[in-house]
């Protein structure tokens, strides 16, 4: 076997390992165990991997690899989403760069260009998924626009329409003037904006004072068809039933009474613009008011706006306010912060618009999902998200599913083109028979496409082959787990539950795990506009995929947002390097030596590490079952780095150097068991480096793995009989003593190569016999010349002291350092610290400081004072030891 390189180089192994796994079919379900399945949340086919994807996918790959090693038939179905709005915008921009436009080349040619774009760029994100080590079954890859999924989408639309759950309606919807399409409520993100309330007077038709209204959008005044007040508002009793004049336009409109009006907001009178506000649309329906479209689908003023026709909505706002002021009808302006809806894709302020659109009637679907939630399905983790999940279902609105796009699933509806005929057919393909209403034979398909999420909400079962009765559908559906950020809980997670129940009778996943969002160090969301995003592939190039995966795992606490900086990945890289170096040490000592513990009684350290390892196996297994990702990473770090590398390898070194002894052979046997188990435990989190080391270990041992990979080997078995509390207590004592001696050496500046004599005064417990028996370990790890243990020993003059339980430690320093120099150094540090403590105490007693300084500054000062107090006490202790 070629020797392991001194330094771990991820780039030298990661691509090679992934290609081997994929080419040899290691990602496919195998064996005859119970099924375990996940469907990958489909990223945008033309997108690139961002840190949110890397987090999501790592949190999915860990349980997949874990369950695969436990013998379950693990399936992780990959795929991509056609992402209607995003992809159409990308290709549209490419056309503009060529001097062309979507409208100029026509629908058919544009769709062809999109497919070409998908073929050219669609593989980028899939290769990036490979770079981060995700063990998806590429043989089962799906795309939301592939033939099978497209057929399923059409069937679902037709079925829901037949069941009365899809309808076409004329309602207020969210319109994006930039993307030129309708948006569902969930696709609108609401951002707080500083703005104004403009108080505008609507003169009375009888030349009276009229009514003053307050509005955040004076430009929509151009489409007003009424003024509304609360019927119980005493201020307006004489105005109800009268008419007023729309300022600047001279149009007469009524003053009406409606229970929905809040008398406490603004002036208590509101303008009613039915075509541009959902609440006003509802009022208009109750009062039979007309709807005037004042803003078109490009966000410009229509002919309804008279002299303002053609102005952009924001330009119109300025012009209207200017002219109102000139006319003496602008009564006042006050600052006002309010929430403004923005397109989730392009960040343009959306426009409420009156339009004919297709909707899904959601309440009947939500009722089924609520009933299942009462039965605990799905299991939502962490449980606090159940409340939010429930509230959304209880307050659900109908879902606008039509989009004014060309890229996507075309709505399967055909309209008869006969003169004055309004017949409509919902069917898979163009009707071949004449119209039953007028006998015409010309049909035209609805030009709109379905919301991207309409295909995504079917993802868990359509990727398994539904509506066909496939083997995958029978075995792997419902799936076991969905990992999701809370940002798509309503977009996707809850809708999938509703679709699964409606079409399969099953909740589509047993567990729904909700994680937080990745933020920068300042707690801001990562975005292009802020320039604070971190590219996961760049991090893979710099630190390795395992480092990225481990660091993300370590950051993932249930449902909490995560603050991330590039430096966080250094911990993952350091951990992989530590594992590599420790393994290199072990493998180096395994080569050529006998490996057997037969006939050799295990030493205390051996029994301790076996006990600690099996506790780690037990805890990590349970934590992985519970999806406690950060705790898994911390548990593995604590055992591998602290206990195995820093302690056991140091303890066992001397035995290994006596290569021919039975004790060395036994130590090698223990190391094989431990390293093999450690690699298995770590594999789900850091698959590349563990696979490389594990294969090298098999080569050293001369084992023929017959194409077996670590990822397809078995999970470590917990062995309760190896738990040894006595050995753990003894080694804990020894570690505490060694650590105390090391601390003294560091505090007193004892040179590393200088060895001293340790005096240990024992109490009445068993510590004395343990320390006497393990003197060899103390001599080696604490860098000592000699150790004396006994209950009657006294502290020599010029010694540093420490207490461990009922044991006192004395380290004579006279022969190790210059005591006078050390006394002067410690005294100077103590006096300097005393001055700083006095200044800090004075500051904290200053009422002005306490009253004006931010709370966090005051708290930091208190913490600093406490730290200085501890250090001062330690310095006093050291000086007393030297002077005693």
């Amino acid at each position: 076997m070629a020797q392991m390189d001194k330094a771990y180089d991820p780039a030298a192994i990661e691509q090679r390992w992934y290609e081997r796994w994929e080419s040899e079919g290691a990602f496919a379900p195998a064996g005859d165990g119970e099924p375990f399945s996940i469907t990958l949340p489909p990223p945008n086919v033309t997108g690139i991997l961002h840190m949110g994807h890397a987090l999501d996918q790592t949190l999915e790959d860990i349980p997949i690899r874990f369950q695969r090693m436990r013998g379950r038939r693990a399936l992780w179905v990959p795929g991509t989403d056609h992402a209607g709005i995003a992809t159409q915008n990308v290709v549209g921009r490419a056309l503009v760069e060529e001097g062309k436009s979507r409208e100029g080349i026509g629908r058919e040619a544009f769709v062809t260009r999109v497919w070409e774009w998908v073929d050219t760029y669609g593989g980028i994100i899939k290769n990036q998924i490979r770079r981060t080590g995700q063990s998806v079954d590429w043989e089962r890859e799906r795309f939301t626009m592939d033939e099978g999924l497209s057929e399923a989408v059409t069937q679902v639309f037709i079925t829901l329409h037949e069941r009365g759950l899809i309808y076409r309606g004329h309602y207020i919807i969210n319109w994006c003037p930039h993307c030129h399409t309708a948006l569902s409520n969930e696709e609108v993100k609401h951002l707080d904006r500083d703005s104004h309330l403009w108080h505008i007077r609507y003169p009375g038709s009888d030349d009276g004072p009229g009514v003053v209204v307050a509005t955040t959008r004076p430009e929509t005044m151009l489409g007003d068809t009424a003024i509304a007040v609360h019927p119980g508002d005493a201020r307006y009793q004489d105005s109800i039933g009268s008419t007023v004049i729309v300022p600047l336009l001279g149009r007469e409109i009524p003053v009406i009474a409606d229970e929905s009006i809040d008398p406490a907001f603004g002036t208590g009178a509101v303008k009613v613009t039915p075509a541009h506000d959902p609440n006003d649309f509802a009022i208009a329906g109750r009062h039979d008011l007309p709807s005037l479209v004042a803003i078109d689908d490009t966000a410009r003023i229509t002919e309804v706006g008279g002299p303002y026709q053609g102005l952009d909505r924001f330009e119109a706002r300025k012009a209207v306010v200017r002219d109102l002021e000139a006319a003496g009808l602008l009564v006042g302006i006050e600052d006002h912060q309010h929430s403004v809806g923005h397109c989730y894709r392009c960040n343009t302020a959306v426009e409420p618009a009156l339009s004919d659109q297709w909707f899904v009637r959601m309440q009947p679907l939500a009722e089924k999902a609520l009933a299942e939630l009462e039965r605990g399905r799905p299991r939502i983790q962490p449980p606090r998200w159940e409340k939010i999940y429930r509230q959304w279902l209880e307050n659900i609105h109908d879902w606008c599913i039509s989009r004014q796009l060309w890229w996507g699933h075309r709505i399967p509806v055909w309209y008869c083109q006969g003169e004055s005929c309004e017949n409509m057919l919902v069917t898979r393909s163009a009707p071949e028979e004449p119209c039953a209403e007028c006998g015409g034979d010309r049909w035209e398909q609805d030009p709109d496409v379905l919301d991207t999420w309409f295909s995504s909400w079917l993802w868990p079962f359509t990727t398994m082959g539904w509506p066909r009765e496939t083997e995958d559908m029978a075995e792997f559906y419902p799936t076991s787990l969905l990992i999701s950020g809370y940002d798509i809980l309503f977009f996707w997670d809850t809708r999938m539950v509703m679709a699964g129940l409606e079409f399969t009778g099953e909740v589509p996943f047993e567990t729904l795990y909700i994680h937080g969002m990745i933020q920068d160090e300042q707690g801001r969301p990562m975005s292009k506009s802020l320039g604070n995003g971190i590219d996961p592939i760049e991090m893979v190039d710099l630190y390795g995929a395992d480092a990225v995966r481990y660091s993300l795992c370590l950051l993932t606490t249930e449902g909490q947002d995560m603050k991330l900086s590039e430096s966080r990945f250094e911990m993952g890289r350091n951990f992989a390097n530590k594992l590599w170096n420790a393994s290199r040490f072990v493998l180096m000592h395994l080569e050529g030596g006998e490996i057997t513990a037969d006939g050799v009684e295990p030493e205390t350290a051996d029994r301790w590490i076996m006990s600690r390892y099996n506790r780690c196996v037990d805890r990590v297994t349970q934590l992985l079952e519970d999806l406690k990702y950060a705790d898994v990473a911390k548990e593995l770090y604590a055992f591998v780095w602290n206990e195995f590398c820093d302690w056991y390898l140091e303890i066992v070194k001397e035995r290994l150097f006596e290569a021919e002894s039975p004790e060395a052979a036994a130590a090698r046997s223990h190391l094989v068991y431990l390293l093999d188990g450690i690699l298995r435990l770590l594999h789900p989190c850091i698959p590349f480096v563990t696979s490389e080391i594990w294969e090298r270990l098999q080569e050293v041992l001369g084992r023929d793995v017959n194409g077996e990979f670590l990822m397809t080997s078995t999970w470590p078995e917990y062995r309760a009989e190896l738990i040894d509390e006595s050995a753990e207590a003894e080694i804990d004592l020894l570690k505490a003593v060694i650590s105390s001696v090391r601390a003294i050496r560091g505090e007193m500046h004892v040179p590393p190569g200088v060895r001293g004599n340790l005096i240990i005064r024992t109490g009445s417990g068993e510590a004395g016999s343990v320390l006497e028996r393990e003197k060899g370990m103390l001599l080696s790890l604490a860098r000592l010349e000699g150790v004396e243990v006994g209950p009657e020993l006294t502290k020599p003059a010029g010694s540093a002291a420490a207490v461990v339980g009922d044991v006192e430690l004395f380290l004579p320093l006279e022969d190790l350092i210059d005591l006078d120099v050390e006394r002067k150094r410690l005294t100077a540090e103590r006096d300097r610290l005393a001055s700083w403590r006095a200044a800090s105490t004075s500051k904290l007693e200053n009422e002005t400081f306490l009253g004006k300084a931010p709370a966090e500054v005051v708290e930091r000062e208190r913490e600093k004072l406490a730290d200085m107090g501890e250090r001062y006490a330690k310095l006093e202790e050291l000086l007393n030891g030297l002077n005693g």
Side-chain angles (χ1 to χ4, degrees), residues 77-90:
V77 181
T80 47
D81 191 288
H82 65 280
I85 295 176
T87 305
Q88 178 158 311
N89 284 345
V90 167

Side-chain angles (χ1 to χ4, degrees), residues 786-800:
V787 176
E788 192 176 357
V789 180
E792 306 297 333
L793 299 176
T794 58
K795 177 187 176 184
S799 295

Side-chain angles (χ1 to χ4, degrees), residues 628-655:
K628 306 282 188 180
Y629 292 100
D631 292 339
V632 167
K634 291 172 185 174
E635 187 72 32
L636 290 169
Y637 187 96
F639 175 74
V640 175
W641 188 301
N642 299 333
E643 295 183 323
F644 178 70
C645 295
D646 285 355
W647 284 103
Y648 185 67
L649 289 185
E650 291 299 316
I651 292 169
V652 84
K653 270 181 182 178
E654 290 199 6
R655 274 185 275 166

Side-chain angles (χ1 to χ4, degrees), residues 344-518:
Y344 81 115
R345 281 295 181 190
C346 68
N347 212 36
T348 300
V350 299
E351 191 62 48
L354 194 57
S355 178
D356 289 322
Q357 301 288 341
W358 288 94
F359 296 84
V360 176
R361 206 179 305 278
M362 298 299 283
Q363 187 173 349
L365 303 177
E367 288 171 355
K368 294 179 183 180
L370 283 166
E372 287 301 311
L373 185 61
E374 292 300 320
R375 300 183 181 97
R377 296 194 291 257
R379 178 172 72 96
I380 298 177
Q381 191 173 334
R384 67 176 178 275
W385 286 100
E386 276 186 26
K387 180 180 179 181
I388 298 169
Y389 178 98
R390 182 190 305 277
Q391 286 175 343
W392 188 76
L393 288 172
E394 289 174 341
N395 297 281
I396 201 163
H397 298 283
D398 286 355
W399 174 17
C400 177
I401 57 171
S402 46
R403 298 290 180 270
Q404 289 62 54
L405 304 172
W406 287 354
W407 171 243
H409 297 100
R410 190 92 173 257
I411 291 176
V413 174
W414 274 258
Y415 303 97
C416 177
Q417 298 302 296
E419 188 176 350
S420 301
C421 185
E422 297 182 356
N423 192 21
M424 173 188 78
L425 291 179
V426 178
T427 179
R428 291 181 179 276
S429 56
E432 297 180 358
E433 300 297 323
C435 175
E437 299 290 330
C438 71
D441 59 1
R442 290 191 307 110
W443 298 89
E444 189 172 298
Q445 189 174 1
D446 195 306
D448 293 347
V449 300
L450 290 162
D451 180 6
T452 293
W453 298 99
F454 193 86
S455 52
S456 300
W457 78 323
L458 314 175
W459 188 250
F461 52 92
T462 54
T463 52
M464 300 291 181
W466 185 93
R468 291 178 292 113
E469 296 179 0
T470 63
E471 291 182 5
D472 280 358
M473 190 71 188
E475 182 177 6
F476 294 108
Y477 183 84
T479 62
S480 307
L481 174 66
L482 175 70
I483 304 284
S484 172
Y486 61 71
D487 58 326
I488 56 172
L489 179 61
F490 311 130
F491 274 122
W492 195 44
D493 305 345
T494 49
R495 287 177 181 164
M496 281 191 290
V497 172
M498 289 184 274
L501 289 169
E502 186 67 18
F503 292 100
T504 72
E506 300 273 7
V507 172
F509 31 80
E510 295 169 14
T511 299
L512 170 57
Y513 178 90
I514 304 292
H515 63 75
M517 297 293 102
I518 294 180

Side-chain angles (χ1 to χ4, degrees), residues 688-703:
F688 289 111
V689 67
T690 52
S691 294
E692 179 73 10
I693 297 169
W694 187 81
E695 187 168 80
R696 288 171 178 266
L697 175 61
Q698 308 316 305
E699 291 176 11
V700 169
L701 298 175
R703 294 174 182 170

Side-chain angles (χ1 to χ4, degrees), residues 66-85:
F66 168 60
Q67 297 294 352
R68 185 185 287 125
M69 294 178 74
R70 299 196 81 192
R72 297 184 69 173
R73 284 175 51 78
L75 171 63
W76 190 12
V77 181
T80 47
D81 191 288
H82 65 280
I85 295 176

